[in-house]
Amino acid sequence: MAGLRERQKAKRNRSILTAASALFGQVGYEAARIDAIAEAAEVSVGTFYNYFENKADLLLAIVSMEVEEVLHQGESVVAAPPATAEAALFALISTYYDHSLVYLTKEMWRTAMALSIQHPETPFSRRYFELDAALAEQVTALLRGLQARGTIRRDADAAALGEVIFADLNAMFTGFTMDETMPLATLTGRMAAHVAALTGLLAPPLRTV
């Protein structure tokens, strides 16, 4: 019985997240009402509040769902990266970018970013930056794997590089969310240029005979 209850609870939680994601996308985060989200999820408003305290709590859950899914997808790239450093980094970052608008719109991302910065003492902010740190750690894990097989310089500080690369890709993504007219292909093209420049600097030195 406990297993059934947990499955039902998880199903309702997912239904609320799916309904909220769709409604936020249709009318915007600020305009979306809790009662409308509950109705779309086919739950009562009281049931909604058993799962989420407010809209910010709900938005954080959607961001968490998004990042956890891309981290899971990124694991396959880290475990079996493409042959070159450039292709490997491009594959991992593309995984993040390509999935970024599945559950969230640009407006939703901007709202989440603003909440995380404006209220740094809140659980929302702490969780948001924990997710950022997890993504940066995954980039670092990829770099360490590339170092282990000699694809990039072994003397490079993988942890510092992972933070730098994530800061760069995050800054480009922030710019993407601020421009409603920018297509994903433009963001991906800019990222590819940055990756090419960086991996050129990280190429291992040629062996002398």
Side-chain angles (χ1 to χ4, degrees), residues 1 45 62-63 80 82 88 100 104 110 125 133 135 138 144 146 153 165 173 182 196 205-206:
M1 289 296 293
V45 172
I62 296 172
V63 172
S100 64
L104 295 104
R110 292 194 301 271
S125 182
L135 290 166
Q138 188 169 71
R144 286 182 173 141
L146 296 175
R153 299 179 65 97
I165 293 170
F173 181 71
M182 183 190 296
L206 295 174

Side-chain angles (χ1 to χ4, degrees), residues 111 113-122 125:
T111 301
M113 292 172 189
L115 288 171
S116 69
I117 295 169
Q118 291 170 355
H119 306 287
E121 75 288 351
T122 62
S125 182

Side-chain angles (χ1 to χ4, degrees), residues 24 29 34 48-49 51-59 124:
F24 289 162
Y29 174 80
I34 296 296
F48 173 93
Y49 283 112
Y51 289 81
F52 302 101
E53 293 182 7
N54 48 46
K55 283 199 299 185
D57 191 26
L58 183 54
L59 179 60
F124 186 108

